[in-house]
Amino acid sequence: MLTMTQTALGGAKVLEDPLEYLPCSMILEFKRGQPIYTQNQPSTNLCLVISGKVKISRVSDAGNSVLVDIYQADEFFGESCLTDSFYPETADALERTQVMTWTTGEIERLAAERPKLALALLQLVIQRSIDFGHRIECFAVDTIGRRLARALVRFSDRFGHQTESGASEMLSFTHELLSQYVGTSREIVTHYMNLFRREGYVQYSRRSVVVNADAIKQWLRQQSDVAMTAT
Amino acid sequence: MLTMTQTALGGAKVLEDPLEYLPCSMILEFKRGQPIYTQNQPSTNLCLVISGKVKISRVSDAGNSVLVDIYQADEFFGESCLTDSFYPETADALERTQVMTWTTGEIERLAAERPKLALALLQLVIQRSIDFGHRIECFAVDTIGRRLARALVRFSDRFGHQTESGASEMLSFTHELLSQYVGTSREIVTHYMNLFRREGYVQYSRRSVVVNADAIKQWLRQQSDVAMTAT
């Protein structure tokens, strides 16, 4: 077997930040719900969220929308412009959003001048494909309820701020959007969200939702233990 | 909306090949079924398959194995060594396999000297994350039968050679392995494979399977049309 070093286990590796190697560029502004690019009109730009949130989705052959991910300030999207593959994704502003863009030509020229830029982008995309790997694992082995629970933990971790009780408060996503991430119907998401509310895992207020991520994680662990015992 | 250029639509972009910028390195040999690295002993090397096939898998909390992908000659794996994330994947030789490896330190040093190396690796990982995006879409919207059909098309496209009839012949994967890719039980894969055999989509011989990918694609399209009409 290949051997490991302390660095890999200890996570002591220093990650490069692409922003350190990118010059400022044009900023575009999009209203809530406005498309940034679409499946039929793909972007040829690498994009950076300056403020707001961007929803990346795909539409299946049968017309179903699948939420790939949501990106926020300081996160990149549209990186598929750097390959020759036609990638049928759509980017929409989830709220009023500012985006900075660089053309593929600019990125290639800058990466040739500043090798650490390409390395930084490489690390970023590897991290993204690791996240996708986790998601594929969830789809392959988890029930809908567990997938929704993991989605709530992930979104509250990424988009929430901690409350005094140690829970995480974030802007409430619609059940429609959650269903497109989890791969089920809106009705089934509503069913599970009611269940989670009764168990105290989530509390809704007018525009936000408080997610008790620790309690959800414990529920996920307990369910795994049951499955382990049963096999 | 951001505009598109002819290049992005026409797919005329020239992709860089990492192999052009990598020096030869140590070659390791693995027997069929031998682990190359495991979840508990992750690799700190970027690996290239020289010959044979490598199975990348993950084990869920509940102990279920999920097949991430299978890589063959001239394909890289283990790229997560270039980030600081602990990525719990296992790499096993699916058959007698030779692997060339470079340490993360070597890759970082070489990428600094040869900027096109990092760009080439970046394009490769973006392509991989695009593939993962397709897979997430399948999991989110497709039935098990359709997921299995897509897996057969993809594997025959990647690992098969064309027969006189225009179908694709490849080494037969076990139903267990297919079930780990599709996210279901071996029994359900066997049920669908019998169905596909009766429809003439697959034919088994002693060690190989002939996949009629065109017929499967047509079946997938017809099913989508039905779904579109129903909505």
mmCIF file of all heavy atoms in Angstrom, chain A residues 116-152:
data_model
loop_
_atom_site.group_PDB
_atom_site.id
_atom_site.type_symbol
_atom_site.label_atom_id
_atom_site.label_comp_id
_atom_site.label_asym_id
_atom_site.label_seq_id
_atom_site.Cartn_x
_atom_site.Cartn_y
_atom_site.Cartn_z
ATOM 1 N N LYS A 116 0.722 29.734 -9.063
ATOM 2 C CA LYS A 116 -0.049 29.410 -7.857
ATOM 3 C C LYS A 116 -1.539 29.652 -8.047
ATOM 4 O O LYS A 116 -2.356 29.118 -7.296
ATOM 5 C CB LYS A 116 0.470 30.216 -6.661
ATOM 6 C CG LYS A 116 1.801 29.677 -6.164
ATOM 7 C CD LYS A 116 2.103 30.129 -4.768
ATOM 8 C CE LYS A 116 3.294 29.344 -4.230
ATOM 9 N NZ LYS A 116 3.648 29.747 -2.873
ATOM 10 N N LEU A 117 -1.923 30.454 -9.040
ATOM 11 C CA LEU A 117 -3.343 30.673 -9.315
ATOM 12 C C LEU A 117 -3.984 29.353 -9.752
ATOM 13 O O LEU A 117 -5.048 28.969 -9.244
ATOM 14 C CB LEU A 117 -3.530 31.741 -10.400
ATOM 15 C CG LEU A 117 -4.962 31.882 -10.923
ATOM 16 C CD1 LEU A 117 -5.927 32.278 -9.802
ATOM 17 C CD2 LEU A 117 -5.031 32.891 -12.061
ATOM 18 N N ALA A 118 -3.337 28.670 -10.712
ATOM 19 C CA ALA A 118 -3.893 27.402 -11.209
ATOM 20 C C ALA A 118 -3.939 26.379 -10.086
ATOM 21 O O ALA A 118 -4.903 25.624 -9.951
ATOM 22 C CB ALA A 118 -3.062 26.882 -12.376
ATOM 23 N N LEU A 119 -2.893 26.364 -9.245
ATOM 24 C CA LEU A 119 -2.848 25.413 -8.121
ATOM 25 C C LEU A 119 -3.985 25.720 -7.138
ATOM 26 O O LEU A 119 -4.649 24.808 -6.630
ATOM 27 C CB LEU A 119 -1.486 25.517 -7.429
ATOM 28 C CG LEU A 119 -1.070 24.316 -6.594
ATOM 29 C CD1 LEU A 119 -0.946 23.053 -7.429
ATOM 30 C CD2 LEU A 119 0.255 24.596 -5.873
ATOM 31 N N ALA A 120 -4.220 27.015 -6.890
ATOM 32 C CA ALA A 120 -5.296 27.420 -5.975
ATOM 33 C C ALA A 120 -6.655 27.002 -6.528
ATOM 34 O O ALA A 120 -7.498 26.473 -5.797
ATOM 35 C CB ALA A 120 -5.250 28.930 -5.764
ATOM 36 N N LEU A 121 -6.861 27.237 -7.836
ATOM 37 C CA LEU A 121 -8.131 26.836 -8.449
ATOM 38 C C LEU A 121 -8.263 25.323 -8.447
ATOM 39 O O LEU A 121 -9.349 24.779 -8.234
ATOM 40 C CB LEU A 121 -8.221 27.377 -9.885
ATOM 41 C CG LEU A 121 -8.387 28.896 -10.009
ATOM 42 C CD1 LEU A 121 -8.270 29.324 -11.477
ATOM 43 C CD2 LEU A 121 -9.721 29.362 -9.436
ATOM 44 N N LEU A 122 -7.131 24.634 -8.657
ATOM 45 C CA LEU A 122 -7.144 23.168 -8.645
ATOM 46 C C LEU A 122 -7.612 22.652 -7.287
ATOM 47 O O LEU A 122 -8.484 21.789 -7.196
ATOM 48 C CB LEU A 122 -5.729 22.654 -8.974
ATOM 49 C CG LEU A 122 -5.512 21.145 -8.929
ATOM 50 C CD1 LEU A 122 -6.378 20.444 -9.967
ATOM 51 C CD2 LEU A 122 -4.038 20.796 -9.176
ATOM 52 N N GLN A 123 -7.045 23.225 -6.211
ATOM 53 C CA GLN A 123 -7.435 22.789 -4.862
ATOM 54 C C GLN A 123 -8.920 23.039 -4.614
ATOM 55 O O GLN A 123 -9.617 22.216 -4.014
ATOM 56 C CB GLN A 123 -6.591 23.526 -3.819
ATOM 57 C CG GLN A 123 -5.139 23.051 -3.812
ATOM 58 C CD GLN A 123 -4.251 23.855 -2.895
ATOM 59 O OE1 GLN A 123 -4.504 25.034 -2.651
ATOM 60 N NE2 GLN A 123 -3.193 23.242 -2.403
ATOM 61 N N LEU A 124 -9.398 24.175 -5.108
ATOM 62 C CA LEU A 124 -10.797 24.544 -4.930
ATOM 63 C C LEU A 124 -11.723 23.538 -5.638
ATOM 64 O O LEU A 124 -12.725 23.099 -5.078
ATOM 65 C CB LEU A 124 -10.965 25.939 -5.518
ATOM 66 C CG LEU A 124 -12.267 26.678 -5.382
ATOM 67 C CD1 LEU A 124 -11.955 28.167 -5.265
ATOM 68 C CD2 LEU A 124 -13.167 26.445 -6.568
ATOM 69 N N VAL A 125 -11.362 23.183 -6.875
ATOM 70 C CA VAL A 125 -12.222 22.262 -7.638
ATOM 71 C C VAL A 125 -12.135 20.846 -7.067
ATOM 72 O O VAL A 125 -13.126 20.120 -7.033
ATOM 73 C CB VAL A 125 -11.869 22.292 -9.144
ATOM 74 C CG1 VAL A 125 -12.743 21.317 -9.911
ATOM 75 C CG2 VAL A 125 -12.067 23.689 -9.698
ATOM 76 N N ILE A 126 -10.957 20.447 -6.578
ATOM 77 C CA ILE A 126 -10.837 19.130 -5.935
ATOM 78 C C ILE A 126 -11.764 19.094 -4.720
ATOM 79 O O ILE A 126 -12.492 18.132 -4.497
ATOM 80 C CB ILE A 126 -9.375 18.834 -5.525
ATOM 81 C CG1 ILE A 126 -8.496 18.630 -6.770
ATOM 82 C CG2 ILE A 126 -9.305 17.593 -4.632
ATOM 83 C CD1 ILE A 126 -7.010 18.474 -6.475
ATOM 84 N N GLN A 127 -11.751 20.174 -3.921
ATOM 85 C CA GLN A 127 -12.619 20.246 -2.741
ATOM 86 C C GLN A 127 -14.077 20.094 -3.153
ATOM 87 O O GLN A 127 -14.862 19.391 -2.507
ATOM 88 C CB GLN A 127 -12.401 21.575 -2.013
ATOM 89 C CG GLN A 127 -13.198 21.720 -0.741
ATOM 90 C CD GLN A 127 -12.954 20.560 0.228
ATOM 91 O OE1 GLN A 127 -11.812 20.283 0.582
ATOM 92 N NE2 GLN A 127 -14.007 19.872 0.630
ATOM 93 N N ARG A 128 -14.438 20.748 -4.266
ATOM 94 C CA ARG A 128 -15.813 20.672 -4.761
ATOM 95 C C ARG A 128 -16.158 19.245 -5.176
ATOM 96 O O ARG A 128 -17.253 18.766 -4.908
ATOM 97 C CB ARG A 128 -15.952 21.644 -5.943
ATOM 98 C CG ARG A 128 -17.341 21.991 -6.272
ATOM 99 C CD ARG A 128 -17.439 23.322 -6.960
ATOM 100 N NE ARG A 128 -17.309 24.445 -6.053
ATOM 101 C CZ ARG A 128 -17.361 25.723 -6.432
ATOM 102 N NH1 ARG A 128 -17.531 26.001 -7.703
ATOM 103 N NH2 ARG A 128 -17.249 26.694 -5.549
ATOM 104 N N SER A 129 -15.209 18.566 -5.831
ATOM 105 C CA SER A 129 -15.516 17.197 -6.280
ATOM 106 C C SER A 129 -15.563 16.252 -5.071
ATOM 107 O O SER A 129 -16.286 15.264 -5.081
ATOM 108 C CB SER A 129 -14.556 16.728 -7.384
ATOM 109 O OG SER A 129 -13.354 16.280 -6.851
ATOM 110 N N ILE A 130 -14.816 16.577 -3.995
ATOM 111 C CA ILE A 130 -14.926 15.801 -2.745
ATOM 112 C C ILE A 130 -16.347 15.971 -2.174
ATOM 113 O O ILE A 130 -16.986 15.002 -1.760
ATOM 114 C CB ILE A 130 -13.854 16.255 -1.722
ATOM 115 C CG1 ILE A 130 -12.464 15.801 -2.185
ATOM 116 C CG2 ILE A 130 -14.165 15.734 -0.327
ATOM 117 C CD1 ILE A 130 -11.314 16.255 -1.300
ATOM 118 N N ASP A 131 -16.842 17.212 -2.183
ATOM 119 C CA ASP A 131 -18.212 17.469 -1.702
ATOM 120 C C ASP A 131 -19.225 16.678 -2.535
ATOM 121 O O ASP A 131 -20.168 16.106 -1.990
ATOM 122 C CB ASP A 131 -18.549 18.960 -1.793
ATOM 123 C CG ASP A 131 -17.817 19.779 -0.744
ATOM 124 O OD1 ASP A 131 -17.266 19.177 0.198
ATOM 125 O OD2 ASP A 131 -17.789 21.017 -0.866
ATOM 126 N N PHE A 132 -19.033 16.673 -3.851
ATOM 127 C CA PHE A 132 -19.938 15.918 -4.731
ATOM 128 C C PHE A 132 -19.859 14.422 -4.402
ATOM 129 O O PHE A 132 -20.870 13.719 -4.462
ATOM 130 C CB PHE A 132 -19.595 16.147 -6.203
ATOM 131 C CG PHE A 132 -20.063 17.475 -6.744
ATOM 132 C CD1 PHE A 132 -19.715 17.882 -8.032
ATOM 133 C CD2 PHE A 132 -20.867 18.314 -6.008
ATOM 134 C CE1 PHE A 132 -20.147 19.094 -8.554
ATOM 135 C CE2 PHE A 132 -21.310 19.535 -6.511
ATOM 136 C CZ PHE A 132 -20.940 19.921 -7.789
ATOM 137 N N GLY A 133 -18.658 13.939 -4.075
ATOM 138 C CA GLY A 133 -18.480 12.535 -3.697
ATOM 139 C C GLY A 133 -19.306 12.187 -2.467
ATOM 140 O O GLY A 133 -19.975 11.160 -2.419
ATOM 141 N N HIS A 134 -19.279 13.092 -1.466
ATOM 142 C CA HIS A 134 -20.096 12.903 -0.254
ATOM 143 C C HIS A 134 -21.565 12.810 -0.634
ATOM 144 O O HIS A 134 -22.310 11.986 -0.121
ATOM 145 C CB HIS A 134 -19.954 14.111 0.692
ATOM 146 C CG HIS A 134 -18.733 14.064 1.553
ATOM 147 N ND1 HIS A 134 -18.567 13.139 2.539
ATOM 148 C CD2 HIS A 134 -17.622 14.844 1.595
ATOM 149 C CE1 HIS A 134 -17.400 13.348 3.146
ATOM 150 N NE2 HIS A 134 -16.802 14.369 2.577
ATOM 151 N N ARG A 135 -21.967 13.695 -1.534
ATOM 152 C CA ARG A 135 -23.375 13.773 -1.922
ATOM 153 C C ARG A 135 -23.804 12.498 -2.647
ATOM 154 O O ARG A 135 -24.903 11.984 -2.421
ATOM 155 C CB ARG A 135 -23.533 15.001 -2.827
ATOM 156 C CG ARG A 135 -24.933 15.313 -3.192
ATOM 157 C CD ARG A 135 -25.372 16.644 -2.642
ATOM 158 N NE ARG A 135 -26.625 17.023 -3.269
ATOM 159 C CZ ARG A 135 -26.732 17.934 -4.227
ATOM 160 N NH1 ARG A 135 -25.650 18.584 -4.649
ATOM 161 N NH2 ARG A 135 -27.923 18.211 -4.748
ATOM 162 N N ILE A 136 -22.923 11.979 -3.531
ATOM 163 C CA ILE A 136 -23.221 10.726 -4.248
ATOM 164 C C ILE A 136 -23.380 9.595 -3.233
ATOM 165 O O ILE A 136 -24.285 8.770 -3.331
ATOM 166 C CB ILE A 136 -22.107 10.423 -5.281
ATOM 167 C CG1 ILE A 136 -22.238 11.375 -6.477
ATOM 168 C CG2 ILE A 136 -22.151 8.964 -5.750
ATOM 169 C CD1 ILE A 136 -21.091 11.349 -7.456
ATOM 170 N N GLU A 137 -22.499 9.586 -2.224
ATOM 171 C CA GLU A 137 -22.607 8.560 -1.177
ATOM 172 C C GLU A 137 -23.968 8.651 -0.486
ATOM 173 O O GLU A 137 -24.636 7.638 -0.275
ATOM 174 C CB GLU A 137 -21.474 8.742 -0.154
ATOM 175 C CG GLU A 137 -21.503 7.707 0.955
ATOM 176 C CD GLU A 137 -20.518 8.029 2.073
ATOM 177 O OE1 GLU A 137 -19.390 8.448 1.771
ATOM 178 O OE2 GLU A 137 -20.899 7.880 3.253
ATOM 179 N N CYS A 138 -24.407 9.886 -0.146
ATOM 180 C CA CYS A 138 -25.713 10.067 0.515
ATOM 181 C C CYS A 138 -26.831 9.530 -0.366
ATOM 182 O O CYS A 138 -27.709 8.817 0.112
ATOM 183 C CB CYS A 138 -26.005 11.544 0.772
ATOM 184 S SG CYS A 138 -24.981 12.231 2.031
ATOM 185 N N PHE A 139 -26.797 9.903 -1.652
ATOM 186 C CA PHE A 139 -27.855 9.440 -2.564
ATOM 187 C C PHE A 139 -27.859 7.915 -2.652
ATOM 188 O O PHE A 139 -28.911 7.294 -2.752
ATOM 189 C CB PHE A 139 -27.645 10.024 -3.964
ATOM 190 C CG PHE A 139 -28.344 11.330 -4.192
ATOM 191 C CD1 PHE A 139 -27.635 12.495 -4.413
ATOM 192 C CD2 PHE A 139 -29.723 11.385 -4.208
ATOM 193 C CE1 PHE A 139 -28.284 13.703 -4.641
ATOM 194 C CE2 PHE A 139 -30.391 12.586 -4.434
ATOM 195 C CZ PHE A 139 -29.668 13.753 -4.652
ATOM 196 N N ALA A 140 -26.653 7.310 -2.621
ATOM 197 C CA ALA A 140 -26.562 5.862 -2.828
ATOM 198 C C ALA A 140 -27.055 5.072 -1.617
ATOM 199 O O ALA A 140 -27.608 3.996 -1.767
ATOM 200 C CB ALA A 140 -25.123 5.469 -3.173
ATOM 201 N N VAL A 141 -26.851 5.612 -0.408
ATOM 202 C CA VAL A 141 -27.147 4.784 0.770
ATOM 203 C C VAL A 141 -28.211 5.352 1.702
ATOM 204 O O VAL A 141 -28.758 4.622 2.527
ATOM 205 C CB VAL A 141 -25.862 4.489 1.599
ATOM 206 C CG1 VAL A 141 -24.816 3.792 0.749
ATOM 207 C CG2 VAL A 141 -25.290 5.754 2.222
ATOM 208 N N ASP A 142 -28.517 6.660 1.598
ATOM 209 C CA ASP A 142 -29.402 7.272 2.591
ATOM 210 C C ASP A 142 -30.867 7.320 2.149
ATOM 211 O O ASP A 142 -31.163 7.444 0.962
ATOM 212 C CB ASP A 142 -28.945 8.714 2.885
ATOM 213 C CG ASP A 142 -27.855 8.761 3.932
ATOM 214 O OD1 ASP A 142 -27.656 7.743 4.619
ATOM 215 O OD2 ASP A 142 -27.214 9.811 4.064
ATOM 216 N N THR A 143 -31.755 7.282 3.124
ATOM 217 C CA THR A 143 -33.179 7.503 2.864
ATOM 218 C C THR A 143 -33.394 8.998 2.607
ATOM 219 O O THR A 143 -32.515 9.822 2.883
ATOM 220 C CB THR A 143 -34.004 7.118 4.095
ATOM 221 O OG1 THR A 143 -33.531 7.921 5.190
ATOM 222 C CG2 THR A 143 -33.844 5.647 4.437
ATOM 223 N N ILE A 144 -34.591 9.346 2.142
ATOM 224 C CA ILE A 144 -34.897 10.760 1.874
ATOM 225 C C ILE A 144 -34.790 11.594 3.157
ATOM 226 O O ILE A 144 -34.220 12.680 3.154
ATOM 227 C CB ILE A 144 -36.298 10.898 1.245
ATOM 228 C CG1 ILE A 144 -36.286 10.282 -0.170
ATOM 229 C CG2 ILE A 144 -36.738 12.362 1.168
ATOM 230 C CD1 ILE A 144 -37.649 10.169 -0.810
ATOM 231 N N GLY A 145 -35.306 11.060 4.264
ATOM 232 C CA GLY A 145 -35.262 11.775 5.536
ATOM 233 C C GLY A 145 -33.832 12.101 5.955
ATOM 234 O O GLY A 145 -33.521 13.215 6.376
ATOM 235 N N ARG A 146 -32.934 11.123 5.805
ATOM 236 C CA ARG A 146 -31.520 11.333 6.164
ATOM 237 C C ARG A 146 -30.854 12.332 5.210
ATOM 238 O O ARG A 146 -30.034 13.149 5.628
ATOM 239 C CB ARG A 146 -30.763 10.005 6.155
ATOM 240 C CG ARG A 146 -31.099 9.103 7.347
ATOM 241 C CD ARG A 146 -30.386 7.767 7.238
ATOM 242 N NE ARG A 146 -28.937 7.900 7.317
ATOM 243 C CZ ARG A 146 -28.241 7.941 8.468
ATOM 244 N NH1 ARG A 146 -28.877 7.852 9.605
ATOM 245 N NH2 ARG A 146 -26.933 8.062 8.449
ATOM 246 N N ARG A 147 -31.211 12.248 3.916
ATOM 247 C CA ARG A 147 -30.626 13.192 2.947
ATOM 248 C C ARG A 147 -31.052 14.616 3.292
ATOM 249 O O ARG A 147 -30.245 15.547 3.242
ATOM 250 C CB ARG A 147 -31.078 12.842 1.520
ATOM 251 C CG ARG A 147 -30.564 11.505 1.024
ATOM 252 C CD ARG A 147 -30.380 11.463 -0.484
ATOM 253 N NE ARG A 147 -31.573 11.705 -1.267
ATOM 254 C CZ ARG A 147 -32.406 10.758 -1.704
ATOM 255 N NH1 ARG A 147 -32.166 9.486 -1.413
ATOM 256 N NH2 ARG A 147 -33.446 11.062 -2.450
ATOM 257 N N LEU A 148 -32.321 14.779 3.657
ATOM 258 C CA LEU A 148 -32.815 16.113 4.022
ATOM 259 C C LEU A 148 -32.113 16.601 5.295
ATOM 260 O O LEU A 148 -31.707 17.763 5.385
ATOM 261 C CB LEU A 148 -34.335 16.067 4.217
ATOM 262 C CG LEU A 148 -34.996 17.384 4.609
ATOM 263 C CD1 LEU A 148 -34.768 18.457 3.541
ATOM 264 C CD2 LEU A 148 -36.496 17.205 4.843
ATOM 265 N N ALA A 149 -31.959 15.699 6.264
ATOM 266 C CA ALA A 149 -31.270 16.065 7.514
ATOM 267 C C ALA A 149 -29.845 16.538 7.218
ATOM 268 O O ALA A 149 -29.392 17.562 7.731
ATOM 269 C CB ALA A 149 -31.255 14.864 8.459
ATOM 270 N N ARG A 150 -29.129 15.799 6.355
ATOM 271 C CA ARG A 150 -27.751 16.190 5.997
ATOM 272 C C ARG A 150 -27.730 17.532 5.266
ATOM 273 O O ARG A 150 -26.824 18.348 5.459
ATOM 274 C CB ARG A 150 -27.114 15.122 5.104
ATOM 275 C CG ARG A 150 -26.727 13.854 5.855
ATOM 276 C CD ARG A 150 -25.847 12.960 4.979
ATOM 277 N NE ARG A 150 -25.862 11.594 5.415
ATOM 278 C CZ ARG A 150 -25.126 11.106 6.414
ATOM 279 N NH1 ARG A 150 -24.313 11.888 7.086
ATOM 280 N NH2 ARG A 150 -25.206 9.831 6.746
ATOM 281 N N ALA A 151 -28.737 17.758 4.405
ATOM 282 C CA ALA A 151 -28.815 19.033 3.681
ATOM 283 C C ALA A 151 -28.993 20.188 4.662
ATOM 284 O O ALA A 151 -28.337 21.230 4.535
ATOM 285 C CB ALA A 151 -29.968 18.994 2.680
ATOM 286 N N LEU A 152 -29.841 20.000 5.676
ATOM 287 C CA LEU A 152 -30.075 21.063 6.672
ATOM 288 C C LEU A 152 -28.794 21.361 7.451
ATOM 289 O O LEU A 152 -28.461 22.520 7.695
ATOM 290 C CB LEU A 152 -31.199 20.647 7.634
ATOM 291 C CG LEU A 152 -32.605 20.595 7.022
ATOM 292 C CD1 LEU A 152 -33.586 19.964 7.995
ATOM 293 C CD2 LEU A 152 -33.071 22.000 6.630
#
